[in-house]
Amino acid sequence: MDKKDQEVTASATLHSIGRDHAVSILETPGDSEAWDRAGQDCIRLQDVPSALSSFKRSEASGPPFLQNYLYRLAMALEISGQFDAAAARYIRVHRQGSEHSRDALYRAICCLNQTKAQNEIAGLLVSLNPAEWREYQHLGLIGGSAMSKLGKPSQAASWLLNDPDISAPDTPARLLLNAMIDGGTSVGSSEDVRRFIFESAHTIFRELPLCRKLLRWILRCGHGETLASIIVDPRIVALSNGANLGFAAIFFRDAGLNDKKTLASRKALVLRPDDPNALRSILPDENGFHTFGANSAILWAKAVIICPETEDFSANEAIIALKIADLEILTTRYLMRAANRFKASPMLLYNVASHLNEKALAEMATPLLRRAILMHPSYAKAWSSLSVSMSVMLDFERGLKASLRALIVDPKLQSGHTNLAMAYRGLGRLDLAIQAGKRQLEISPNDIIARMGVAFNDLCIGAIEEGFEYYRSRWAQKGFPSQKRPFPQKEWTLQKIPKDGKVLIYMEQGMGDEFMFSWFLHYAEECAPGKIIVECDPRLTKIFSRSFPSIEFWPLSSPVQKRLLARDVLYKIPIGHLPSLFTPRIRKLITDRWALAHQKCVAGYGWIIPDFKKVSQWRHKLASMGYGERVCIGISWRSGNITRARESQYLKPEEVVESLPDDSIAVILQYVFEDFELQAIKRAAAERGIDVVRFDGLDLKNNLDDVASLSAALDAIVTPLTSTAFIGGVVGTPTWVFRTATTGNIWQQLGTPRIPWIPSIHLFFRGAHAPWDPTISEMRQALSDARNWLLARRANANIVSGGDTV
């Protein structure tokens, strides 16, 4: 630059910069640092021409150069549209390795792209790893275009996969990639394939259709072996966060490499349990489906729900498969995932909601059903399922309205009248509930829910002949608590038994049910004296044998006891079938004991005989604790198996204590509890002078002989309707029972005020929405009023035989 040009530059710059910088330039016009500062001032003033002149003068002034002056000069050149010159300076900055090195290279490539200098761009990018440049916008498309024109397709694909819009089908990067692959371009050498997979691992396995397209491109170019060796490489697993393994499993499956497929799919599911490709890969083909087992349907369903391109009708089929499999929490999680994806599919929403209703998750089901009805107002199944949700949530009025709406739309709707019956029962209209249930059975005679609903409602109103006949269908219920026993004999219907023949009666359901139904062994023994064999809970063989000395008892086992399959065992019958054979005897029992309904307290009438020696020992233990004139009451507050339906039947531990008279003794009969529950009992008891006794050495769950003896030794028992209540009742101990029921009764009462064959059980009811407080107060008053009677009964040691009332 000659002297005249320098003067012009200085003159132009001096008008744009501050006084201090101007003085510095005038004093030392060859100072490159002063010119660099002047250029920065011009940039701040948005005077690009003067800034460019200043940066050029700084460059011409020679060393010492500031580290970043070239970068600022390049930016000024780029802003002024001098892209070639800007690119040259940017490249110099990049090669100096300064803090702006990466940004300078990116800017250089952008400038070269403006001038269409594809070869120069490719030369700059050829040694770079695209995965390390993902944060630079547009570099993927620029690099892909340059590499494609340079004839480096694998590197072009690597750069294009870095484009942020590559997943969209109509973007320039995707269109260029498709054109390159579909146009028959070769991917290159095996080494090119390896480099491509490593450079693109973070992206290539992200989207299913794109990944398939790229892998097929590699295979089409004859690099199957290379792909097989690299697709499960641990480094690729790390780069793709395990997403490669599902695609690897699909690849190995299609290649017929089953061992590698299985290994890859299992690894994939460990890292990514919802990986749809891994789930797909382990599904068998139609020829191998029969050898794969039920899990195949489950895996297929999970894959369908997860897969992003699934249509709603396929997802609905998957939901049905998962409902059948019933994997509890896992099924619910996948079904909710489907419901959230397919919000516009009423049928799918209904299927998900019906499953949720079956699991008593009515609060989750209700919004799905309301959404389905909003889209399809005449969807009868959705209305009927909504009635179930309402009934589960104890909103029986709304449940009734939803049921009626469903039946208006479709009078013959499957389960429509069953759900209507449920709503009527909740409202206490047992007559209408029975009518609805029978209408359902006209439409669908095999509807087990309707059949059992009619059974229980009949028994509640005392229609025992029809009720017990319907009750025989209970084994067909889904989730029935007893497994069918593998007994080959014919069913006993009171046929005459040959001299050396036997009848097998097998117990069912829970331990409390075995105690409750054991009453009917009396009737069976009268019909076939000395010819009865009973299979029962192993914990009960001893106490049953004592109570029924002429009956042979065998413990439930798997496989079954050989004695029960012997040739002399000619007939079989489950214990719950016996009442249907003896309804005349039950009618007579009801008549004989009807007067007990007017008694405030009933004791005795038990038939299970405890070990009297143990009863005496328990009484001595209690006496040694100084119970004297204090009433000694056994307590429990819940079952060990808590479901939504059962939960409303149970009390808090401290609420049970509230039901006891002051200054009494509470004996823990609860076999499963948490420490905090015991502490709550002790705190509540201490406030009212109640002593809490727990016999640590007594196994309340398994040593039922001792439990029965302790129950017989107590003055009374307070409990919900659990096995504790039945144990107390069958040994004749006065047992006060809490119960929630909208109808104010339970089916075992057979339409009478008490359970006819266990009259020592006294039921205290509350409504479905009522608090326990009034019932607790009523029970506490009843126990207080009965105090003298209970103490007198203890003194008379009237344990089992006969009965006692007040």
Side-chain angles (χ1 to χ4, degrees), residues 36-104:
D36 181 68
R37 288 197 299 269
Q40 293 180 57
D41 283 347
C42 292
I43 287 291
R44 281 191 285 271
L45 295 171
Q46 299 183 355
D47 184 356
V48 176
S50 295
L52 182 58
S53 297
S54 297
F55 289 135
K56 285 183 176 179
R57 181 63 181 269
S58 177
E59 183 181 26
S61 297
F65 299 128
L66 292 180
Q67 186 179 16
N68 298 322
Y69 92 91
L70 273 178
Y71 190 60
R72 289 190 281 272
L73 171 59
M75 285 193 292
L77 289 167
E78 183 181 3
I79 293 171
S80 66
Q82 300 180 50
F83 297 115
D84 285 328
R89 269 64 172 197
Y90 279 133
I91 291 171
R92 284 175 60 189
V93 173
H94 169 66
R95 289 172 177 167
Q96 288 176 355
S98 72
E99 61 180 304
H100 297 295
S101 179
R102 285 171 61 84
D103 292 341

Side-chain angles (χ1 to χ4, degrees), residues 767-788:
H769 296 284
W772 279 118
D773 293 347
T775 310
I776 290 171
S777 297
E778 180 187 0
M779 185 178 289
R780 183 171 62 245
Q781 187 60 53
L783 283 166
S784 298
D785 293 344
R787 178 179 176 278
N788 291 334

Side-chain angles (χ1 to χ4, degrees), residues 232-375:
V232 290
D233 189 294
R235 291 169 292 177
I236 301 298
V237 175
L239 290 169
S240 67
N241 290 322
N244 66 306
L245 292 169
F247 289 98
I250 292 286
F251 167 74
F252 290 133
R253 184 195 67 181
D254 295 343
L257 302 172
N258 290 327
D259 290 342
K260 291 186 176 182
K261 173 205 74 173
T262 302
L263 182 59
S265 62
R266 287 177 177 173
K267 287 180 178 179
L269 292 173
V270 169
L271 295 174
R272 301 159 67 91
D274 289 347
D275 191 314
N277 298 305
L279 291 168
R280 275 197 195 91
S281 71
I282 54 180
L283 295 179
D285 58 25
E286 60 184 35
N287 295 321
F289 210 91
H290 67 283
T291 64
F292 195 75
N295 283 339
S296 57
I298 298 169
L299 295 170
W300 166 80
K302 290 165 64 177
V304 166
I305 289 173
I306 294 167
C307 186
E309 61 264 31
T310 297
E311 299 290 341
D312 59 353
F313 66 88
S314 295
N316 194 52
E317 292 177 352
I319 285 169
I320 294 170
L322 284 175
K323 285 173 63 178
I324 293 172
D326 196 6
L327 304 177
E328 296 295 337
I329 295 175
L330 187 63
T331 291
T332 300
R333 179 162 64 90
Y334 276 93
L335 264 57
M336 287 305 299
R337 185 169 181 170
N340 289 329
R341 277 190 60 194
F342 301 99
K343 296 180 179 180
S345 175
M347 183 181 295
L348 185 148
L349 295 173
Y350 158 76
N351 278 319
V352 174
S354 66
H355 168 80
L356 296 173
N357 277 338
E358 289 175 8
K359 301 302 177 185
L361 300 172
E363 288 81 2
M364 295 171 64
T366 300
L368 302 183
L369 291 166
R370 291 193 184 283
R371 191 189 309 159
I373 291 169
L374 186 63
M375 292 182 285

Side-chain angles (χ1 to χ4, degrees), residues 432-623:
L432 294 178
I434 293 170
Q435 180 180 324
K438 290 183 176 180
R439 175 68 182 122
Q440 181 65 49
L441 291 174
E442 292 174 4
I443 299 169
S444 180
N446 295 323
D447 189 324
I448 187 59
I449 298 176
R451 186 169 290 274
M452 291 307 298
V454 173
F456 289 128
N457 291 329
D458 270 342
L459 294 173
C460 278
I461 65 171
I464 62 173
E465 290 80 7
E466 183 179 77
F468 278 125
E469 186 62 32
Y470 278 122
Y471 186 72
R472 294 171 68 93
S473 302
R474 66 198 175 281
W475 286 81
Q477 294 178 97
K478 182 180 180 181
F480 187 69
S482 295
Q483 294 183 348
K484 289 187 176 181
R485 306 298 291 148
F487 299 125
Q489 299 90 345
K490 295 180 181 179
E491 183 175 316
W492 189 46
T493 55
L494 301 186
Q495 299 96 321
K496 186 176 180 180
I497 309 299
K499 181 179 179 181
D500 297 325
K502 299 285 185 179
V503 176
L504 168 62
I505 300 174
Y506 51 99
M507 294 291 188
E508 60 183 87
Q509 303 180 60
M511 180 262 291
D513 299 281
E514 295 194 23
F515 273 124
M516 177 188 71
F517 280 119
S518 67
W519 167 265
F520 297 97
L521 293 177
H522 291 116
Y523 299 158
E525 175 68 5
E526 290 175 8
C527 288
K531 299 180 184 295
I532 303 297
I533 298 178
V534 175
E535 182 194 56
C536 66
D537 188 314
R539 298 171 295 176
L540 299 179
T541 54
K542 184 176 182 180
I543 193 169
F544 278 160
S545 296
R546 183 189 307 119
S547 304
F548 300 93
S550 63
I551 295 178
E552 187 179 340
F553 288 90
W554 287 84
L556 174 72
S557 64
S558 181
V560 299
Q561 302 286 337
K562 291 182 180 180
R563 175 68 184 94
L564 306 182
L565 301 175
R567 289 185 178 183
D568 64 331
V569 182
L570 303 178
Y571 297 99
K572 66 179 179 183
I573 188 171
I575 188 78
H577 278 20
L578 288 180
S580 67
L581 303 180
F582 297 106
T583 52
R585 296 292 303 273
I586 298 172
R587 284 281 180 206
K588 185 176 185 306
L589 181 70
I590 291 173
T591 301
D592 292 344
R593 293 186 174 178
W594 189 267
L596 297 178
H598 304 292
Q599 307 302 319
K600 293 181 180 180
C601 303
V602 178
Y605 300 97
W607 64 93
I608 295 300
I609 301 175
D611 184 328
F612 290 114
K613 182 177 180 181
K614 290 183 178 179
V615 174
S616 178
Q617 290 172 351
W618 284 117
R619 284 186 167 170
H620 283 303
K621 277 189 179 183
L622 294 170

Side-chain angles (χ1 to χ4, degrees), residues 106-107 109-110 113 133-143 159 162-165:
Y106 171 65
R107 298 305 322 156
I109 291 170
C110 290
N113 189 54
W133 294 81
R134 277 178 285 176
E135 70 270 25
Y136 291 93
Q137 275 195 337
H138 311 303
L139 189 56
L141 178 59
I142 293 172
W159 282 106
N162 263 348
D163 189 272
D165 298 324

